[in-house]
Amino acid sequence: MTDPHWLDRTTYPWATRTVEVDDAVVHLVDEGTGPPLLLLHGNPTWSYEWRDVVARLRADFRCVAPDLPGLGLSTAGPGFGGSPAEHARVVADVVAALGLDAWTLVAHDWGVPIGLAAARRDPGRLAGLVVANSWAWPVDDDRHFTTFSRAMGGPVGRLGARHAHLVVRAMLPLGHRRRRLTRAEMHHYLAPLGTPDRRAVTSRFAAEIVRSTPFLADVARTLPAFADVPALLLWADRDIAFRETELARWRAELPHADLVRLPGAGHFVPSDAPADVADAVRAWHPAGRSSVHGAPS
């Protein structure tokens, strides 16, 4: 796979790797050695947002960060509709193709319900769960979410996404509160969406917040099966999407989860607070604690 002309390898220095599954060509970062972490992005980003987290964790973990089909450097197969259920099948196939075992899901936004749905294929292989500002249940009765879904996923949102990068230009700046994205960073989020069809994916994800209520209900029904999986909740308090309401639901669903708050951080947690995310994962994960404190004698 040849690098696109816009990709700056000084900020994203990982060797290119692709996996062909479900007629999709999935690009992924696969860096480091140790227990595997599957780092899943949401909408409208790609593995680029995990780059600083990967740089901090690759000494202790195998960091696998795929681009969902149609986003980043991945391409979707013919007939791929872009629903979360389809993305989950692709992610499950990637996990199987890479032979990941005892892996930990580290995700935010859509990455969490998609990753949990993928984990159901072989739940015994999921060793841990790190949730950063997300949800995994229906929200079609919550005006906070339905208003956004119908605006960004409706006719005006679809038109704006296809012809003006509406979702990226609106959400990325609003989702960073500790720092401001540089022009180069914004370019790396805009450039992969170089055609109207690829830009439409971002609006489709917004629409799916309501449209995929059956999928989210199915994921929610399986949450009790993950209640005993070691879990970490990373919660940014200046997120425009996810609130204390969603955090309270996670604490009820995962009663044994540890909680690390990220004061002042916004929605795009891996990009807005990468050092805090990496430090929290390392301090929580047994492999990370061993590397910090030394193996017991």
Side-chain angles (χ1 to χ4, degrees):
M1 180 178 183
T2 303
D3 283 353
H5 66 87
W6 49 262
L7 183 61
D8 180 3
R9 285 291 182 183
T10 63
T11 61
Y12 186 81
W14 323 120
T16 293
R17 180 171 185 185
T18 58
V19 177
E20 295 188 29
V21 294
D22 257 5
D23 294 325
V25 179
V26 178
H27 169 268
L28 52 89
V29 170
D30 190 350
E31 287 287 323
T33 58
L37 307 177
L38 184 69
L39 303 117
L40 285 188
H41 66 84
N43 184 41
T45 59
W46 56 294
S47 58
Y48 183 79
E49 75 167 336
W50 289 101
R51 67 194 186 284
D52 291 330
V53 176
V54 171
R56 288 171 166 84
L57 291 179
R58 63 190 295 271
D60 303 311
F61 301 95
R62 180 184 178 186
C63 298
V64 177
D67 300 340
L68 295 176
L71 291 167
L73 303 182
S74 290
T75 57
F80 185 81
S83 70
E86 291 170 289
H87 283 289
R89 286 194 293 272
V90 170
V91 170
D93 287 344
V94 168
V95 168
L98 296 178
L100 300 186
D101 195 14
W103 57 281
T104 294
L105 175 64
V106 183
H108 83 111
D109 193 72
W110 272 110
V112 174
I114 288 171
L116 287 173
R120 290 181 303 177
R121 181 180 296 183
D122 197 347
R125 292 182 180 271
L126 184 69
L129 172 61
V130 179
V131 172
N133 287 63
S134 184
W135 87 118
W137 48 81
V139 290
D140 57 315
D141 60 349
D142 188 329
R143 206 163 118 187
H144 173 73
F145 291 102
T146 59
T147 298
F148 172 83
S149 179
R150 288 165 183 154
M152 287 292 192
V156 174
R158 289 196 300 271
L159 187 67
R162 289 180 64 90
H163 299 289
H165 282 291
L166 176 63
V167 180
V168 176
R169 293 189 189 278
M171 300 309 298
L172 264 295
L174 287 174
H176 287 77
R177 296 303 182 95
R178 285 191 178 181
R179 68 184 189 89
R180 178 176 293 183
L181 286 175
T182 66
R183 183 177 297 180
E185 286 176 306
M186 277 298 293
H187 182 64
H188 277 75
Y189 290 117
L190 293 166
L193 304 172
T195 66
D197 285 347
R198 283 184 73 89
R199 291 191 287 274
V201 174
T202 63
S203 178
R204 171 68 188 266
F205 265 118
E208 293 294 340
I209 295 169
V210 171
R211 187 184 297 167
S212 279
T213 291
F215 166 81
L216 291 165
D218 193 32
V219 174
R221 281 191 290 271
T222 68
L223 286 176
F226 299 111
D228 294 327
V229 172
L232 171 65
L233 301 174
L234 301 176
W235 211 257
D237 64 3
R238 295 194 65 197
D239 189 352
I240 58 174
F242 299 105
R243 310 156 294 178
E244 289 291 315
T245 303
E246 286 70 52
L247 175 58
R249 174 73 180 263
W250 278 117
R251 299 191 78 174
E253 297 285 357
L254 304 172
H256 303 300
D258 294 332
L259 170 64
V260 174
R261 291 184 177 271
L262 305 173
H267 176 68
F268 295 99
V269 179
S271 175
D272 204 24
D276 285 358
V277 170
D279 288 349
V281 170
R282 182 180 290 106
W284 165 80
H285 197 287
R289 292 197 300 268
S290 296
S291 73
V292 172
H293 300 295
S297 58

